[in-house]
Structure formats: structure tokens, C-alpha cells
Amino acid sequence: MSSCGSALRNRFAGARVAGVSPRWVRRAVVGIGVVAAGLVAVLVSVLALGPSRQQVGVRPAAPATAGARSVQPARQLAVVRILAHGAPVSVPRSFLGISTEYWTVPVWAKHLSLLGQVLSSITPDGPMLLRIGGSSADQTRWAPTKELPEWVFEVTPAWLGQVRSIVNHFGVRVILDLNLVTATPTIAVRWARAAEAGLPSESILGFEIGNEADIYSPASWRKTTAGGSGSKALPKRMTASSYASSYRAYAKALNRMDRGVPLFGPALSDPAAHLSWISHLLAGPHLGLRAITVHRYPLSACSQPGTKTFPTIARVLSENATAGMARTIGGAVRTARRAGLPVRLTEINSVTCGGRKGVSNTFATALWAPDALFELLRAGASSAAVHVRANAINMAFSLTRHGLVANPLLYGLALFARTLGPNSQLLPLALQARPALRLKAWAVRVGANTVHVLLINKGTRAVRVSLQLPATAPVTAQQLLARSARATSGVTLAGQHLDARGRWVGKPALQTIEPGAAGYPVTVRGLSATLVTATLPAGALAAKHRR
């Protein structure tokens, strides 16, 4: 018998001396043997998670159970560690931005203090990027001198003053989307000249030529214009070649106004299917082009039930809505890089067409947002602006006379912002876990010695994570929580929530975690996220990534 068995026999021999019958002792020894065998089996099953080590986010995910409770008693095991090899990816300053429509600006201008509270919660580093455009861009006209149809949005000096107020208060930099459908280069130049004169110097990052011309529909626009005078000038169709020609006409006119004016395009709805639009644009003269712009929405409220893009909570939580979405910009990134240009996502959200109630306004989007943003960052995007339309189901927030309405998506954006910081770098990471656990992990270095590790659990069961870091000091953790994936309210981040004044209220809930023999033990509840912050010894990461 082993020494362990001998010790057990000696202990139970002592028990017999204390008056315990030998038959009871024999039964106890057998029982302990069974328990020991069970523990060995558990250990073997943990090791059987497999030696394969992948970068986070490439494993396929099983469908989520929509509306399940986020707290489950069962715990599964996973291992997360920072890799010694692989180069970190620098996070561009002002990576996270906001996109909105022209007609949202007057609404926000009435609630500047609330807007400031929102922006402060989601601005990790550098000035906030504000893109103004979307579908409203092709309906705008600057300070018209004659009465125009009702469908035209009149951009007036008063409206420009509201944008100026937002810029002055919060130091945002703006991208202005120009009308390509119902305007001309001459009309666009009038608006661009007024914008440059009316906004603070250097506050305009660039002008974007058009909005989703790759899905232009004459029939839809005839409906918008109601067959009025504007419908007579509508393009019959738009193609990659015609867009490239239109871009050159706009660029030539704008360059005469301001030599070297920065321009963006082609603002594609589907960069994977319409990659040729980028190739056509780059193949010819593209005066002033500073960035390739695309939009991404993995799901659409305009899709019919039964189609693969019809919005459901399970699909919002799927890998296709994050990693799959990021893969669709790969061709655009490669093509743009060959031309020495970055790719900016000037619109993203989980569901387009305004969103779907019971999906786009739920806690599922809070878990979607940080994962999607990190996937886009890793795919090569230089910025990503979340589209926030006033009075839309998929809006992250709403500013009303009753105060701030913070939807779950806003909490996800705040969590992403807390994961970043000055001079951030995305670190290579290894995740060992069964795909069915639906766990994602991201590691970010901030400054010299701070590391943030974001753990996102899209499954319904709690996961026990062994977080292996080159550190020995305690770490802190904060959680993003809600009652279920379907929750539309009651969301908390680090135990706090945003009140109607845009303030974080409630007692902060930060957990301190001591290191164990196998790393830092972190339990991530089902359908939740946990952000771990660690301060590493000086030089620990530099040595780890030294080649």
C-alpha cells in the first residue's frame, strides 16, 4: 500500500482505539477510496480540455439559450494566459467613436450636460470621434435660399452652431457625411465651406463622400421623395465605376475650395460583397482620400423571420455577430493597406434598420459590444463609430427632458472603454476552454505595467477561470451584470448604474483576488463579463515579449 494508504490506515487505527468498530473503519476506507478515485477522474477531465492553444475568438460558439438566467450553480474550468510570443497590437487613439444622423444633433444640443456625462463614460483615450451622417446625409442641404420639399433636412447656421457647441464643450473631432444622392459637387462645396468656417480649427477630421451607395435603391428614394421635384434628379443606379467617378468630381470641387482637404469613402454597407467598389476607387485618381470607410451590422431588422440575418438574442450572442462580422472587413483592410490607407468603420451596431425590440435593446448587446469592438480592432480597423439614432430601438442611449436613458448597449461600451487607456496595446492571449463554454478573453496593456483582462461569458453557466499572469500581487475585478440576456434594465457595472443625470450611482463593487497555485481564480457568471486589472512587476511584459 502507498504511504497515503498507510497514513489512512494509521489514522483509522487510532479511531479504533477511540472505540470505533473495525467494520466501520473498513467501510470508511472503502468510501474514501471511491471519493479519491472521483477526484482523480475530475482532474483527468480538466486536463482533457486539450493542449490546443488558440488566440481568443477563433473557436466556433454554440447557440445561446435566449433569456436564460445569468446565474447557474454549475462551474466549468478554463485557463487564460498571456502568450510570450506574438507582437502586441497598438490601439489607435480615439478608436471608439459615435455616429449619428444630422437630425439627432438638435436633440443632443438641448442636453449638453447629459451628453457630456455619456461621452466621459466611453472615452478612454484621445478626443471622441463624432461622425454625422447616415441615411440623413443624402437628404441634407445647406442654408437653402428657396423653399424645399419636406423630405429635405435643412442644415442652417443655427444647426452648425449646435455642432460648434458640442465641439467646444467636449473637444470631439467630427466626420461630416456629404450628400451624394440628391445634391451636386457645387452644393456639397457650399456646405463644406460653411462647416470649415463655422467649426473650430482642426475639429473636422474629414468629409465622407456618400452613404452606403452600394445598396442604393431608386425605388426607395422615389418613395422618400414622394415623387416630388427631387425625384427627377435621382441617379438611375449606382455602381462601383459610377461611385468612383462621383468621388473624383466631389474631390476636385472640394480641393479647389481647400487644397488638401481630407476625404473618406466609399462608406460601404457590405465591404465583403462589394470589395470591387474599393478597388475601383483606388485604381484611378483619388485626390484627398485619407481613409477607406465601411459600415457593419451583423443582423437586420429588415430581414424576414427564418433568414440568417433576422435578429434574435442567440444570434447577437453568437460568434458570427462578432468574429464573423470582423472577418468581413478583411478584404477591405488588405486592399486599403496596399494603398497606404486605414480602414474606418463609420457605422456599426448589432442590428440595422433601427433595431428589433426585445433584441437590440437587451443585455445581450452589452456583451456583444466589447467583443465586437476588439474583434474589429484585431482585424485591422483604425476606428469604429457606434451608430446612435435618436428614438431608435438599437440606440445606446437617449437624451430626454426626463434625463438620460441608458440602454444596456451603453454599459457594454463603457466596459470596453474601461479596458483601454493611454498607450494601450492588445496583447496576444491563449484561451484553453471547451467551445461549449462560450467564453471570450481579451488582454490589454495600459502604460508600462498595467494589464486589463476582459472575460466575457456568453454561455449560461458560470466558468471558473485560472488566469495566469506574470504577477504575484492581488488583482481587482469588476463585473457587468444583469438578470438575463433579455433584460432591458437593471444593468450594473462594478455594482453601479447610470442614473437620469448620467452619474454612476450605487456602492462600487470591486473584488480583490489573491493568486493561487494555478494562477488567479476568477469566476465569471453565466451571461456576464468580468474585467480584471493587474499591476505587474516592472519589466515583466517587456521581458515576456522580448524577441
Side-chain angles (χ1 to χ4, degrees):
M1 183 177 287
S2 67
S3 59
C4 179
S6 300
L8 286 172
R9 182 174 59 188
N10 293 337
R11 289 183 64 186
F12 280 101
R16 185 174 58 244
V17 172
V20 180
S21 70
R23 179 180 298 176
W24 185 92
V25 171
R26 286 193 297 271
R27 291 177 178 175
V29 171
V30 172
I32 290 177
V34 172
V35 171
L39 291 174
V40 171
V42 170
L43 180 60
V44 170
S45 68
V46 170
L47 294 176
L49 285 172
S52 62
R53 292 168 182 171
Q54 306 180 19
Q55 287 218 335
V56 177
V58 298
R59 295 180 181 269
T65 303
R69 298 288 296 179
S70 63
V71 181
Q72 297 291 332
R75 293 181 181 179
Q76 306 293 323
L77 300 180
V79 177
V80 173
R81 66 184 182 87
I82 297 174
L83 292 173
H85 60 276
V89 177
S90 294
V91 180
R93 292 184 74 230
S94 306
F95 176 81
L96 176 60
I98 293 294
S99 169
T100 195
E101 303 288 338
Y102 272 83
W103 41 261
T104 300
V105 170
V107 178
W108 287 0
K110 296 177 181 178
H111 308 283
L112 287 180
S113 62
L114 289 179
L115 180 61
Q117 292 290 90
V118 170
L119 297 182
S120 67
S121 294
I122 60 175
T123 306
D125 181 31
M128 171 61 67
L129 171 64
L130 174 62
R131 180 258 192 171
I132 304 174
S135 58
S136 61
D138 289 324
Q139 297 176 244
T140 58
R141 292 287 180 90
W142 164 251
T145 56
K146 62 180 181 179
E147 186 175 352
L148 292 174
E150 291 185 0
W151 57 266
V152 173
F153 182 85
E154 299 181 11
V155 181
T156 64
W159 183 94
L160 187 56
Q162 292 169 338
V163 177
R164 182 170 57 249
S165 182
I166 292 173
V167 171
N168 286 334
H169 273 83
F170 312 119
V172 302
R173 299 197 71 191
V174 297
I175 296 174
L176 295 172
D177 197 352
L178 300 181
N179 185 340
L180 185 66
V181 174
T182 62
T184 65
T186 301
I187 293 173
V189 164
R190 290 183 60 228
W191 162 220
R193 182 181 289 116
E196 288 197 336
L199 295 179
S201 176
E202 305 299 323
S203 64
I204 300 177
L205 188 62
F207 294 97
E208 190 172 31
I209 310 299
N211 177 75
E212 299 185 354
D214 56 324
I215 58 170
Y216 168 75
S217 167
S220 176
W221 269 98
R222 281 194 293 271
K223 184 177 180 180
T224 298
T225 59
S229 58
S231 64
K232 297 178 182 179
L234 291 174
K236 293 182 178 180
R237 66 188 185 118
M238 289 190 180
T239 65
S241 296
S242 68
Y243 176 83
S245 297
S246 295
Y247 174 89
R248 287 192 288 271
Y250 273 65
K252 185 177 180 180
L254 290 163
N255 192 65
R256 284 198 298 265
M257 173 201 76
D258 179 7
R259 187 172 298 277
V261 61
L263 304 178
F264 300 157
L268 296 180
S269 170
D270 192 341
H274 302 140
L275 184 60
S276 63
W277 285 60
I278 299 174
S279 301
H280 272 83
L281 178 59
L282 296 176
H286 44 275
L287 182 67
L289 187 62
R290 297 290 183 270
I292 295 297
T293 56
V294 300
H295 301 167
R296 284 286 71 207
Y297 296 81
L299 304 168
S300 173
C302 294
S303 296
Q304 295 298 314
T307 61
K308 64 181 181 180
T309 56
F310 182 73
T312 65
I313 287 179
R315 285 174 174 159
V316 170
L317 294 173
S318 72
E319 276 294 271
N320 187 60
T322 55
M325 177 180 68
R327 284 193 293 271
T328 65
I329 73 168
V333 170
R334 291 188 294 270
T335 303
R337 282 178 175 172
R338 286 194 292 269
L341 296 173
V343 169
R344 292 184 179 273
L345 283 97
T346 46
E347 275 189 35
I348 71 163
N349 208 316
S350 60
V351 182
T352 189
C353 278
R356 181 183 175 220
K357 190 173 182 180
V359 177
S360 310
N361 59 336
T362 68
F363 184 63
T365 63
L367 299 178
W368 168 85
D371 191 30
L373 289 165
F374 275 120
E375 289 285 6
L376 291 169
L377 173 62
R378 188 170 64 178
S382 65
S383 66
V386 178
H387 201 50
V388 182
R389 297 175 58 180
N391 303 317
I393 298 170
N394 63 1
M395 60 186 176
F397 60 90
S398 179
L399 308 181
T400 74
R401 60 188 180 90
H402 300 294
L404 170 68
V405 177
N407 286 331
L409 176 57
L410 182 59
Y411 288 85
L413 300 179
L415 177 60
F416 177 77
R418 292 186 186 189
T419 310
L420 303 183
N423 304 313
S424 296
Q425 288 185 312
L426 187 62
L427 298 175
L429 195 70
L431 167 64
Q432 285 181 269
R434 292 188 298 107
L437 293 186
R438 320 249 350 255
L439 182 72
K440 297 292 289 288
W442 300 95
V444 175
R445 174 169 62 187
V446 179
N449 304 312
T450 299
V451 169
H452 293 155
V453 179
L454 178 60
L455 304 169
I456 305 172
N457 184 359
K458 299 181 186 178
T460 57
R461 293 185 176 184
V463 178
R464 180 82 165 181
V465 177
S466 174
L467 179 57
Q468 299 177 358
L469 298 173
T472 57
V475 300
T476 60
Q478 54 184 296
Q479 295 178 301
L480 175 66
L481 300 173
R483 295 184 304 276
S484 72
R486 290 189 180 278
T488 58
S489 61
V491 181
T492 60
L493 179 55
Q496 297 183 302
H497 68 276
L498 286 162
D499 69 4
R501 296 185 181 181
R503 302 171 302 180
W504 290 97
V505 296
K507 184 177 180 181
L510 294 176
Q511 181 185 5
T512 300
I513 302 174
E514 300 282 347
Y520 292 89
V522 182
T523 298
V524 187
R525 294 169 56 176
L527 295 170
S528 76
T530 298
L531 177 60
V532 177
T533 299
T535 301
L536 308 186
L541 285 176
K544 197 172 185 65
H545 291 97
R546 188 177 296 125
R547 290 178 177 268

